[in-house]
């Protein structure tokens, strides 16, 4: 079992001969009633990483620590500056499987090795309020670091840490820091003890970070966009495994953005190379969507139930909806984790790395005028115009439902093409992205209605088979039919307004549009 703790802390430089008694009187910080001496604790931590330090490169730390109240394995995941989520697991001789899974997207098949051993003497004080409640912990650490692999030597330093109490107000740390700064205490130049130890005990000086040059060519812009999506997929992996809110949806969107870019800008990157990768991204998005689609439907149907008058609520509708929503949930979660641990997913991550390292650029990739990027956006917009024109001409029914769903997917692709194009086309592309997002929302409401009606038919059949009253499902079904009809009536006018605002020259302006709203 592993648990999670949100850690909010700040580190400060300290003279090797300094002690906490040398600090200013922190009872003068607003809210602090007393400073309680908690004594000195001896800590012994061994940090693990791959031979090429993939975890350190991503600001992740994995350690096995003894001493103190939280002995065990700790994995720290960055959230924001000075904020990390610490995942804890019980003490054991080997890295716990739970933590191995959380770093798999970084580590892949590489071995986790002990790289640094840190032994610290930690002198701790608690800053407490009038009621004795903990506000923050301030500690002075005298650290000795020993390199175990990838370098040699030892180093020593002293630092001060101020860690906010659980559920504390981060503004409190600002007040403490103001007091420390007045006393000449400055922020540490290292983000973590591990970062400092690696820097000071490596065989070679730490290489300076390489800052990517600003995109210039069409190829540069496409690769920058793809790199952002690849990074999102990798970074979201631990959150998906932990079932963090919206993480599955965010990873799914990243796969869609990448797939769309590879398709829309197929004249920049060779599709003979990228199409197989698109297929694998589609597979991953499908696996991620198993739970997500049902979650969205459950939220929709629950909200609709809440709006119904009691007079039309017949039978155990809420209970059946909960049962339907939870069906296969635990099994699908286990399946998703197995997917992320599986060979196919790891091979996809390797393929994405290879694509970005040695991109199969075509001749159009060298364009610096913006014409190639603009043409791709116009092409997607023109195709969208044709699809919407076709959808509004069809009579209501299954064929129109499918046509609107396909138009929605095309609106997404056009939106993502516009996102990539924004650094090149500026306000024109930014405006298009906003319009495509609104159109996507409208068309998504229609598709959600289609899926909700399918679910309601399923629920009604289950209720009938169990001898329950199915009347309420019919009421909800009628509501969803009216929602779909409303979207279909609104679509022509909405699309005409979008066409009128879109400043795109070329094929998109000549494309056949849908009839004007009457």
């Amino acid at each position: 079992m592993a648990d999670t703790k949100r850690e909010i802390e700040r580190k400060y430089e300290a003279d090797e001969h300094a002690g906490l008694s040398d600090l200013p009187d922190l009872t003068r910080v607003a809210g602090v009633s007393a400073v309680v001496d908690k004594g000195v604790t001896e800590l012994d931590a061994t940090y693990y990483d791959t031979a090429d330090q993939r975890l350190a490169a991503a600001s992740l730390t994995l350690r096995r620590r003894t001493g103190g109240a939280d002995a065990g394995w700790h994995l720290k995941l960055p959230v924001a500056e000075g904020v990390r989520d610490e995942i804890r697991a019980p003490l054991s001789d080997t890295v716990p499987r739970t933590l191995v899974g959380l770093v798999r997207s970084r580590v892949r098949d590489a071995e986790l090795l002990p790289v640094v051993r840190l032994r610290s003497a930690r002198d701790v004080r608690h800053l407490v309020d009038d009621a004795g409640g903990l506000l923050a912990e301030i500690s002075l650490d005298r650290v000795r670091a020993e390199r175990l692999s990838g370098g040699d030597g030892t180093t020593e330093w002293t630092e001060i840490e101020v860690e906010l109490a659980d559920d504390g107000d981060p503004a409190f740390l600002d007040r403490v820091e103001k007091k420390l700064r007045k006393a000449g205490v400055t922020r540490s130049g290292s983000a973590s003890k591990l970062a400092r130890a690696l820097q000071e005990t490596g065989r070679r000086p730490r290489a300076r970070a390489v800052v990517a040059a600003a995109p210039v060519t069409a190829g540069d812009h496409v690769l920058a966009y793809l790199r952002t999506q690849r990074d999102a997929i990798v970074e979201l992996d631990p959150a998906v495994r932990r079932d963090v809110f919206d993480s599955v949806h965010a990873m799914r969107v990243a796969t869609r953005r990448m797939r769309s870019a590879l398709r829309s800008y197929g004249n920049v990157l060779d599709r003979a190379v990228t199409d197989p990768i698109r297929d694998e991204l589609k597979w991953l998005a499908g696996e991620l969507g198993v739970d997500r689609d049902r979650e969205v439907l459950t939220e929709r149907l629950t909200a609709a139930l809440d709006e119904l008058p009691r007079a039309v609520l017949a039978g155990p509708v809420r209970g059946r909806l909960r049962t339907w929503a939870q069906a296969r949930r635990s099994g699908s979660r286990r399946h998703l984790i197995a997917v992320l641990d599986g060979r196919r997913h790891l091979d996809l991550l390797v393929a994405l790395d290879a694509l970005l390292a040695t991109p199969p650029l075509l001749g159009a990739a060298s364009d610096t005028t913006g014409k190639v990027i603009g043409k791709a956006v116009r092409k997607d917009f023109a195709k969208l115009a044709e699809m919407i024109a076709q959808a509004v001409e069809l009579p209501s029914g299954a064929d129109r439902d499918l046509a609107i769903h396909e138009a929605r997917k095309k609106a997404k692709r056009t939106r993502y093409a516009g996102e990539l194009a924004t650094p090149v086309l500026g306000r024109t592309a930014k405006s298009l992205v906003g319009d495509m997002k609104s159109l996507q929302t409208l068309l998504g409401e229609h598709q959600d209605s289609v899926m909700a009606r399918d679910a309601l038919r399923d629920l009604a059949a289950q209720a009938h088979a169990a001898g329950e009253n199915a009347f309420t499902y019919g009421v909800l079904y009628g509501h969803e039919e009216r929602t779909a009809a409303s979207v279909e009536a609104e679509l022509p006018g909405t699309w005409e307004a979008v066409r009128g605002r879109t400043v795109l020259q070329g094929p998109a302006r000549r494309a056949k549009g849908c009839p004007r709203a009457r």
Side-chain angles (χ1 to χ4, degrees), residues 29 36 42 91 132 142 172 197 215 237 304 335 339 388 413 439 448 458 481-482:
V29 175
V36 182
E42 298 294 332
L91 206 60
R142 302 189 188 281
F172 178 73
D237 184 286
H335 173 73
V339 166
I388 290 184
R413 183 180 299 165
L439 181 64
D448 287 348
D458 183 28
E481 281 189 318
R482 291 189 295 276

Side-chain angles (χ1 to χ4, degrees), residues 1 64 79 92 162 224 242 270 307 313 350 386 479 481-482 484 491 501:
M1 291 289 291
R64 180 187 187 275
V79 176
S92 61
V162 182
R242 295 163 55 206
D270 187 355
E307 294 177 1
L313 293 176
V350 171
E386 294 174 2
H479 170 75
E481 281 189 318
R482 291 189 295 276
L491 179 56
R501 287 192 298 269

Side-chain angles (χ1 to χ4, degrees), residues 221-227 229 253-269 271 274-275 278 281 355 373 376 380 412-421:
H221 286 286
V222 171
L223 291 174
Y225 188 82
L226 293 176
R227 191 171 293 109
Q229 309 317 317
V253 169
T255 65
R256 287 171 172 167
R257 282 190 164 109
M258 183 168 263
R259 285 184 62 228
S260 292
L262 292 174
R263 180 67 177 270
S264 296
Y265 296 94
N267 60 339
V268 174
L269 294 173
R271 288 190 55 180
T274 63
D275 276 358
R278 288 187 69 249
L281 288 167
L355 173 69
I373 297 292
D380 278 343
K412 282 185 183 180
R413 183 180 299 165
T414 306
R415 171 188 168 189
Y416 298 150
E419 287 178 351
L420 191 155

Side-chain angles (χ1 to χ4, degrees), residues 184-207:
V185 178
T186 60
R187 284 278 194 106
S188 172
S190 296
S192 68
K193 289 182 175 66
L194 176 63
R196 183 165 184 170
L198 289 172
Q199 179 183 359
E200 296 183 7
T201 62
R203 291 195 182 102
R204 295 179 300 276
R206 183 176 59 175

Side-chain angles (χ1 to χ4, degrees), residues 64 93-94 98 102 218 231 253 274 306 368 373 393 415 435 474:
R64 180 187 187 275
D93 292 335
T94 58
T98 303
L102 292 175
D231 291 348
V253 169
T274 63
D306 291 342
T368 59
I373 297 292
E393 293 291 343
R415 171 188 168 189
D435 278 337

